[in-house]
Amino acid sequence: QQIVKQHLCTGCGACAFVDSERLVMVDTESLGKRPQSRNGQSMFDQQTDASKICPGIESPRRLLGDADQGIPELRDSWGTVLEVWEGYAIDSELRFRGSSGGVVNALALYCIEKGNMSGALHVRARRDAPLLNETVLSCDRESLLSGSGSRYAPASPCDGLELIASQQRRGVFIGKPCDVAAAVMTAAERPNLAEKLGLTVAI
């Protein structure tokens, strides 16, 4: 509750995934997606797993890289950057319908079609309320394209991690850097998710 009140919550949805019996993500007019308790129960306490995976509390050093790694000129502003590449999707439809040259959709589609992954967990505009977002698992090109266009906030892609964990094969997770941090921390606490998290892509 303190994380939400102090505006440190990123709305990633990881807490709602690990503590789904007590927490649910809701759209709020002033803050975007935020966790709320179900049935008036206490949101967080010492026994819940949610406090272990919240990027609003801490992003572990292991996610940031060593201080002496990376490109020195970028470290102060961007943290540890190992390499910078420039590129775009060679598939023209992916390139022009997606943002940032369609790179994310191209990587996800490659993982599905060539890497034998189950699908890509990502965010798209809700069909019934286009100003809002929903988390979906896309398993083919058409579904991926339906979510193109960088709808990353307000969004809670981690609340759909069960869609990856329940698959037979590994999957792709797409989200904001804080979402990826939460997904990685959650996987460290949930071995079944760690086995299925094949690739994370942060925008």
Side-chain angles (χ1 to χ4, degrees):
Q1 288 171 320
Q2 185 179 3
I3 296 299
V4 175
K5 288 178 180 177
Q6 293 184 349
H7 303 290
L8 298 173
C9 176
T10 66
C12 71
C15 60
F17 166 67
V18 301
D19 205 355
S20 60
E21 290 186 8
R22 288 194 296 176
L23 301 175
V24 62
M25 298 303 293
V26 299
D27 284 291
T28 66
E29 186 174 342
S30 59
L31 298 174
K33 298 201 79 162
R34 293 294 181 264
Q36 286 189 2
S37 62
R38 296 181 188 268
N39 304 321
Q41 300 178 59
S42 174
M43 281 181 64
F44 303 104
D45 60 30
Q46 296 298 320
Q47 284 71 49
T48 185
D49 289 334
S51 60
K52 298 177 183 177
I53 50 84
C54 176
I57 295 174
E58 178 184 19
S59 288
R61 181 76 188 161
R62 60 188 165 80
L63 297 179
L64 305 177
D66 295 330
D68 59 348
Q69 288 184 325
I71 302 170
E73 297 82 5
L74 299 179
R75 191 173 296 124
D76 287 345
S77 298
W78 296 96
T80 302
V81 177
L82 300 180
E83 298 180 18
V84 178
W85 292 42
E86 182 178 356
Y88 57 85
I90 59 173
D91 180 314
S92 60
E93 186 175 22
L94 290 178
R95 179 180 181 185
F96 293 107
R97 283 187 59 181
S99 297
S100 303
V103 170
V104 173
N105 278 342
L107 289 172
L109 188 60
Y110 181 88
C111 289
I112 294 168
E113 293 183 344
K114 306 293 185 184
N116 196 35
M117 292 196 185
S118 60
L121 190 72
H122 64 107
V123 172
R124 72 177 181 199
R126 271 177 47 181
R127 297 294 187 253
D128 62 329
L131 293 180
L132 302 177
N133 294 315
E134 63 183 352
T135 303
V136 295
L137 182 70
S138 290
C139 301
D140 55 36
R141 174 192 176 89
E142 182 179 350
S143 182
L144 270 174
L145 281 171
S146 75
S148 62
S150 287
R151 292 291 299 257
Y152 294 103
S156 303
C158 290
D159 68 357
L161 284 170
E162 180 60 33
L163 296 172
I164 288 181
S166 63
Q167 299 298 310
Q168 295 291 324
R169 305 187 308 277
R170 296 183 303 161
V172 181
F173 177 87
I174 300 169
K176 303 181 298 296
C178 55
D179 301 329
V180 169
V184 171
M185 289 190 289
T186 303
E189 297 291 327
R190 300 286 178 96
N192 63 319
L193 175 62
E195 292 175 5
K196 300 297 176 60
L197 201 59
L199 176 70
T200 60
V201 181
I203 295 299

